Amino acid sequence: MATLMFRRLSRPVKKAATFSRTVDCYKKEDPGKDHKGKICSPDEGVTLNKVVDSEKIFRLLNYHILYNPSAYTRNRRVASLRVCTDDEECEDSAGSVHSSLGTKQAQNTYSITCSRRLSSSRNTLLDLVFNKADERQVHSLQSEKLKNVSGNEKKANDTEVSDAKEDARAFQKLRTDYKLFCYNANVLEPLSAEDCIQILHKVTVLKSKLTPEMIAEYFKTLGCLPPEQHVAVKSDTRFAMLCRYSVENLSAFHSSQLIDILKAFVYLKFPPSHSLLNVYEVEFSRRVWDMDLNQLLLIADLWRFLGRSVPQYLEILFSFASLHWKNLSLPQLVQLIYIIGEARKAPPDLMQKIESLVLKYIDEMNLEEVGAVCLGFFKSKSRFSEYLMRKIGEKVALRMVEISNFALVNVLKMFRFTHVDHLQFLNSLGQVAAHRIPSMGTQGIMHIALACAALHFLDEKILDAIAAELPSKAPHCRSKDAAKFMWSFASLNYEPPNSLEVYEALTAQLRLKLHEFEKFPEHLLTGLLALAFAGHFPHDLIDFALSPTFVKLATEVTAFELKKDLLTLDASVGIECLPYKGNRISPLLRREVTDMMCAWASTDLYVRLEVAEALSSLQTILGGSHYVKQHMILPHTRSCDLEVHLQMSGKPVPFNQEGTAGLLPKHNIKGSGVLVTDELMVQLLKGKSGKSSWKVNEKTSSSELVYPHTVVTETTTGKCSHGGSCHSKSSVTITPSESSLQNLVKSKNSAEIPFTRTPKSGVQKLAVQVTNRNHYCYGSHRLLGLHSMKRRQLCKLGYVVVEIPFWEWFPLLKRSRSEKLAYLHQKVFGSFDEMC
């Protein structure tokens, strides 16, 4: 055994590539022959002549050989070659190759430097071949890896089968045209080990005489190797030489040859961070304008299979597509959208052009292509127009039974993203989705639930089916899935039949995956807010979420704006969870977010027509601006209120110190001092009926009038869980005579009272809420979870909630002012009378 050190002496060594290797040599007994100087390998005898030939080669390259046999005195371990796995970066083609074992070993070093074309700076690995010892170690590593793989497969089989990701490329199997520009993972003729060895031997023989055609053909052939031989080939130094020669001949390859080489990299499962791929990425980017669209799409697909991000190449590809977008065929369009989705972004002007093409081809697309198109736009955060979404909804609704689960979920993602309500699509979804849920994976079910929540679409058949599956699927949930399941249920104000079991299972997943929230803090807040909507407050998770460390993470590190969520959680805990003694957010942060919410409300909520009109009318009815205050009673619930205080006798209490009489509109109304009683109201209603009359039900009081020209809905009184009631009465449309307006606004309950600080005892606070469609589930009068929680908390704080529902108030905005005043008068004082 010996150590050979090769060093060139003609000039100083600037950069050397080292390769540690120890070779076991065996003497082969052969009587009658002199064995001195003969070296025998485990495979075959190699005569001294071969060694001499090798020495001649090195002498021609101007090498100096240093012999050091003492290098083996410390350790006789066999050094293993560094085997490049799928998760490692193999530096065979651009850097030094180092062999490393975990234990201390003597180094057997070949120090090689050469000024020729095969320079060490490009990591030339000359005619170094495996001997038996090397092969035994490679096979050992392979068997160990295969054992790990089989163990992982067994572990995966124990996991829910439906958790496997759906095939996002299923649409490519439905048209033969996709074969022109999509990667095909099927290898037709597997390469034998003997053929592989023969190719690698040719590389060592031909070396620099390899032509670009030969290099491309060798890569193409090696790509047909069975997967179990990939590791051994990629760790073979002869394969490293082939890679190095391909780099040297890069500019001489035709585009089709480069594509074949890139395919080989995919077949051999090169790691995405492999340094060799950097060179090929630059070369492909340089050649974009010399290739056609089919080749460009195929290259992008290959990069995608390698798992490598190639932003420079895609940027040029998108520029090419933007210039030639009118010539795109349907399959090319769908494949381009798929590539855009995987890249997660594209130029907005290109997406507009592509959308026009989608509209052109929408009738010719099959349902899987529709799903692929929706997914590509969704991933790239690009929206479809409402018109196109309705076309998609119509197409899918008519054939929803035929669409795959994966494509259906993708369409739902796009509806969720664009917030387009398509009643026909939603009705078809309700008929189909509930039956499919048991056969779907956890993530697919989560997206269905989340889409329903985003669209405010409450279909109890769908949600019941999801709730029935969740206890068994909860162990397969990611933290994101568990949080969004809870959010979907709670935001729709839906309580599953097995709610205790569902929430316990999902909350347990949040606890198990607590470490994930260091990277994704938004998911924990999403889950805890959902639990707060439903009235559940797990103290340990809340204490963690409101801890200084997590608050800092949520407010400073993450890209999401989570301060409002922290305020909502903290304030809800303060109102509804009195026994809680854990962490709370700081007063400084609470004030900062509250001021931010108030500033937003002043520019958004307060200026809305329906709210401004209700405020003005209430000021008129009650006698001034100091009797009503427009603000957010609970800023953490992100909606405004009109607060009114009434004594138990029904008199308004002036409490708004910020209010001024100058804010009231001038009506030039002089109070007559006439008190409005039930009898007077009946007389007024019966008196002047020139334009319209009021019909009074004998069994009802004047606060429960039934008016013509109005569809009367059922009276609902929502009871809060902590006491109090939330009143929502039937809508009425009224047209009283203008002469009765003076007495109406000067009622017995609105006598002029000097602004004094009224004692809190004996005063009832009203929270008048002007709602809109976004407060309710789609097509119903059922409050969403956030607004249901708000009313529950208002009741707990002693407020009586007076609802001005949009389906009653919005039609009145087009009517006379007297009708609005009469309606609000009935709402406020009618609710107060019922409460008393």
Side-chain angles (χ1 to χ4, degrees):
M1 304 178 80
T3 297
L4 297 179
M5 298 186 67
F6 301 85
R7 182 171 299 171
R8 185 184 179 195
L9 299 179
S10 60
R11 65 180 67 180
V13 176
K14 295 182 179 179
K15 185 174 182 181
T18 61
F19 179 77
S20 298
R21 183 179 178 196
T22 306
V23 181
D24 285 337
C25 297
Y26 302 91
K27 275 189 177 183
K28 187 174 181 179
E29 297 295 336
D30 188 5
K33 288 188 180 181
D34 185 9
H35 299 288
K36 184 177 180 180
K38 179 176 282 191
I39 301 175
C40 302
S41 71
D43 290 333
E44 57 182 352
V46 180
T47 62
L48 183 61
N49 292 333
K50 183 170 182 178
V51 178
V52 174
D53 292 340
S54 300
E55 292 178 357
K56 288 181 180 179
I57 295 174
F58 289 124
R59 195 177 299 114
L60 290 174
L61 293 174
N62 198 11
Y63 283 100
H64 182 71
I65 302 175
L66 300 179
Y67 176 69
N68 181 16
S70 63
Y72 291 89
T73 59
R74 292 167 53 191
N75 198 320
R76 293 182 180 272
R77 287 185 178 271
V78 178
S80 66
L81 291 174
R82 181 175 182 266
V83 179
C84 183
T85 65
D86 293 345
D87 297 324
E88 295 178 307
E89 178 178 358
C90 189
E91 297 292 342
D92 289 337
S93 61
S96 300
V97 179
H98 302 279
S99 111
S100 174
L101 291 175
T103 58
K104 183 179 180 181
Q105 65 177 347
Q107 290 188 351
N108 178 25
T109 305
Y110 292 88
S111 180
I112 302 173
T113 353
C114 181
S115 61
R116 301 299 177 93
R117 190 163 178 259
L118 300 180
S119 65
S120 63
S121 63
R122 294 183 180 181
N123 193 34
T124 302
L125 300 178
L126 297 175
D127 195 2
L128 303 173
V129 295
F130 287 117
N131 61 11
K132 278 287 187 182
D134 297 326
E135 291 176 356
R136 283 197 301 269
Q137 288 197 341
V138 171
H139 292 327
S140 174
L141 290 171
Q142 287 180 358
S143 61
E144 183 179 353
K145 181 180 179 182
L146 290 175
K147 189 182 297 182
N148 294 334
V149 170
S150 62
N152 293 335
E153 289 177 352
K154 183 178 179 182
K155 184 178 179 181
N157 291 334
D158 296 336
T159 310
E160 178 194 33
V161 176
S162 56
D163 259 354
K165 287 189 176 181
E166 298 280 356
D167 184 9
R169 305 166 62 87
F171 68 92
Q172 297 175 354
K173 302 173 184 177
L174 302 179
R175 293 182 191 269
T176 57
D177 294 343
Y178 287 109
K179 295 180 180 180
L180 298 175
F181 42 79
C182 295
Y183 167 70
N184 181 13
N186 298 323
V187 180
L188 299 179
E189 297 180 2
L191 184 68
S192 64
E194 293 76 11
D195 293 337
C196 174
I197 294 174
Q198 184 178 5
I199 290 175
L200 294 178
H201 179 69
K202 289 180 180 179
V203 173
T204 60
V205 173
L206 295 175
K207 296 182 181 179
S208 59
K209 296 180 181 179
L210 288 169
T211 63
E213 292 77 12
M214 296 171 64
I215 295 173
E217 184 62 28
Y218 288 169
F219 271 112
K220 185 177 180 180
T221 306
L222 291 173
C224 298
L225 276 171
E228 60 271 13
Q229 297 183 22
H230 288 175
V231 174
V233 169
K234 288 186 290 185
S235 60
D236 194 313
T237 54
R238 294 167 293 183
F239 182 77
M241 291 178 62
L242 182 63
C243 293
R244 227 276 297 150
Y245 284 120
S246 74
V247 173
E248 288 194 347
N249 291 274
L250 200 60
S251 59
F253 288 117
H254 297 302
S255 297
S256 58
Q257 294 170 342
L258 281 178
I259 294 174
D260 288 338
I261 295 175
L262 189 60
K263 284 182 182 179
F265 294 160
V266 177
Y267 284 123
L268 294 172
K269 295 181 173 58
F270 265 53
S273 57
H274 199 298
S275 56
L276 180 63
L277 299 180
N278 297 334
V279 182
Y280 277 84
E281 179 187 350
V282 173
E283 182 64 19
F284 278 118
S285 300
R286 187 182 67 83
R287 296 194 184 197
V288 166
W289 299 101
D290 299 329
M291 294 184 281
D292 59 38
L293 186 59
N294 284 350
Q295 290 177 316
L296 298 177
L297 292 175
L298 176 57
I299 293 167
D301 205 35
L302 293 172
W303 285 126
R304 173 58 190 162
F305 255 90
L306 283 167
R308 182 180 176 88
S309 176
V310 285
Q312 180 184 2
Y313 174 80
L314 291 179
E315 182 180 355
I316 305 174
L317 168 61
F318 296 155
S319 299
F320 183 96
S322 185
L323 291 176
H324 302 87
W325 67 277
K326 291 183 179 180
N327 300 324
L328 290 175
S329 65
L330 172 57
Q332 288 175 333
L333 171 66
V334 178
Q335 179 66 13
L336 177 61
I337 295 174
Y338 167 76
I339 296 297
I340 289 174
E342 297 306 308
R344 298 299 194 276
K345 62 179 180 180
D349 59 332
L350 175 60
M351 299 309 293
Q352 291 178 2
K353 297 173 182 177
I354 289 178
E355 182 182 354
S356 64
L357 286 179
V358 173
L359 185 60
K360 173 184 176 182
Y361 289 122
I362 187 64
D363 294 332
E364 302 176 32
M365 290 184 184
N366 57 55
L367 294 179
E368 298 306 310
E369 289 173 330
V370 172
V373 166
C374 288
L375 182 62
F377 269 71
F378 176 80
K379 285 185 173 181
S380 63
K381 297 182 175 60
S382 304
R383 296 178 183 272
F384 283 142
S385 65
E386 182 177 349
Y387 177 75
L388 179 54
M389 282 308 303
R390 296 201 176 279
K391 293 277 289 184
I392 292 174
E394 292 172 6
K395 184 181 183 70
V396 176
L398 294 175
R399 300 169 56 192
M400 191 169 289
V401 179
E402 304 172 19
I403 193 172
S404 68
N405 292 338
F406 183 69
L408 177 60
V409 167
N410 293 336
V411 174
L412 277 172
K413 287 179 181 180
M414 203 60 195
F415 271 107
R416 184 181 96 208
F417 186 58
T418 56
H419 285 89
V420 174
D421 55 333
H422 194 290
L423 188 57
Q424 181 186 5
F425 175 82
L426 294 177
N427 289 336
S428 299
L429 179 68
Q431 298 172 5
V432 173
H435 303 292
R436 294 193 179 194
I437 284 171
S439 63
M440 295 180 66
T442 302
Q443 295 180 29
I445 298 175
M446 181 272 292
H447 282 297
I448 289 180
L450 190 61
C452 290
L455 296 173
H456 299 172
F457 177 63
L458 176 62
D459 189 306
E460 293 194 352
K461 291 187 299 182
I462 296 177
L463 298 181
D464 286 346
I466 294 175
E469 296 293 323
L470 272 183
S472 61
K473 291 186 180 291
H476 308 295
C477 287
R478 304 167 296 176
S479 59
K480 172 183 179 180
D481 300 329
K484 291 189 175 181
F485 272 126
M486 290 190 287
W487 174 264
S488 301
F489 287 166
S491 64
L492 289 172
N493 200 14
Y494 163 77
E495 184 176 0
N498 55 341
S499 60
L500 183 61
E501 186 181 7
V502 167
Y503 282 118
E504 283 183 352
L506 295 176
T507 305
Q509 287 304 304
L510 295 184
R511 291 189 175 98
L512 287 175
K513 296 175 169 59
L514 210 59
H515 61 282
E516 295 183 13
F517 300 127
E518 296 180 0
K519 188 175 181 181
F520 305 105
E522 64 275 9
H523 297 330
L524 177 60
L525 292 179
T526 297
L528 291 179
L529 286 179
L531 290 171
F533 293 172
H536 301 289
F537 295 92
H539 289 198
D540 57 331
L541 293 178
I542 293 172
D543 185 59
F544 177 80
L546 298 182
S547 64
T549 302
F550 187 85
V551 170
K552 182 178 180 180
L553 176 69
T555 55
E556 297 180 5
V557 179
T558 181
F560 294 91
E561 176 53 64
L562 300 179
K563 292 182 179 179
K564 293 184 288 186
D565 293 341
L566 287 168
L567 176 66
T568 301
L569 178 62
D570 179 79
S572 298
V573 168
I575 296 172
E576 298 196 62
C577 195
L578 298 180
Y580 173 77
K581 303 298 181 184
N583 286 310
R584 300 286 298 275
I585 64 174
S586 65
L588 182 63
L589 179 60
R590 188 179 300 113
R591 172 51 54 191
E592 175 191 348
V593 184
T594 300
D595 292 343
M596 179 174 64
M597 295 300 299
C598 293
W600 165 73
S602 62
T603 59
D604 187 281
L605 300 180
Y606 299 163
V607 297
R608 293 181 180 178
L609 176 61
E610 65 273 15
V611 177
E613 190 65 30
L615 174 63
S616 175
S617 299
L618 283 176
Q619 289 173 347
T620 302
I621 292 172
L622 298 175
S625 60
H626 44 278
Y627 290 98
V628 57
K629 183 177 182 179
Q630 181 187 39
H631 68 127
M632 291 191 293
I633 299 175
L634 302 176
H636 64 279
T637 58
R638 312 172 195 186
S639 58
C640 68
D641 310 270
L642 303 176
E643 185 174 357
V644 175
H645 291 186
L646 297 178
Q647 292 183 355
M648 300 309 295
S649 62
K651 286 186 177 182
V653 177
F655 70 97
N656 183 15
Q657 300 183 17
E658 299 176 359
T660 59
L663 295 177
L664 284 175
K666 297 181 179 180
H667 292 288
N668 297 323
I669 299 175
K670 296 181 180 180
S672 62
V674 179
L675 298 179
V676 178
T677 61
D678 290 346
E679 293 77 7
L680 179 58
M681 288 294 295
V682 172
Q683 293 176 10
L684 289 172
L685 298 178
K686 289 183 178 180
K688 297 191 176 183
S689 56
K691 296 182 180 179
S692 63
S693 61
W694 293 3
K695 297 180 181 180
V696 182
N697 191 333
E698 294 178 357
K699 297 182 181 180
T700 60
S701 66
S702 61
S703 62
E704 297 175 333
L705 301 177
V706 182
Y707 307 105
H709 315 299
T710 302
V711 177
V712 181
T713 60
E714 294 182 1
T715 303
T716 58
T717 303
K719 294 184 178 180
C720 295
S721 58
H722 300 285
S725 60
C726 305
H727 300 277
S728 174
K729 291 197 169 184
S730 57
S731 174
V732 292
T733 304
I734 55 179
T735 312
S737 58
E738 295 297 332
S739 60
S740 65
L741 180 59
Q742 296 183 12
N743 289 330
L744 182 62
V745 299
K746 198 66 175 182
S747 67
K748 63 179 180 181
N749 297 325
S750 60
E752 292 185 2
I753 303 173
F755 190 87
T756 56
R757 187 173 297 277
T758 306
K760 295 297 180 183
S761 58
V763 175
Q764 180 60 58
K765 296 181 289 185
L766 306 183
V768 181
Q769 297 188 345
V770 182
T771 64
N772 57 58
R773 289 178 175 83
N774 292 329
H775 293 179
Y776 302 90
C777 294
Y778 180 79
S780 73
H781 297 164
R782 182 169 182 164
L783 281 170
L784 295 173
L786 174 62
H787 303 286
S788 178
M789 181 189 73
K790 174 183 178 179
R791 298 193 182 189
R792 186 177 71 231
Q793 293 177 0
L794 285 172
C795 293
K796 194 172 182 65
L797 294 175
Y799 283 87
V800 172
V801 178
V802 179
E803 181 181 24
I804 310 297
F806 73 91
W807 60 87
E808 296 177 0
W809 182 239
F810 280 28
L812 282 173
L813 295 178
K814 301 178 182 179
R815 308 301 292 268
S816 66
R817 182 170 179 79
S818 58
E819 293 178 272
K820 302 170 191 173
L821 293 173
Y823 171 80
L824 290 175
H825 183 279
Q826 177 261 340
K827 276 289 184 181
V828 172
F829 293 106
S831 300
F832 179 76
D833 291 341
E834 283 193 359
M835 183 268 299
C836 294

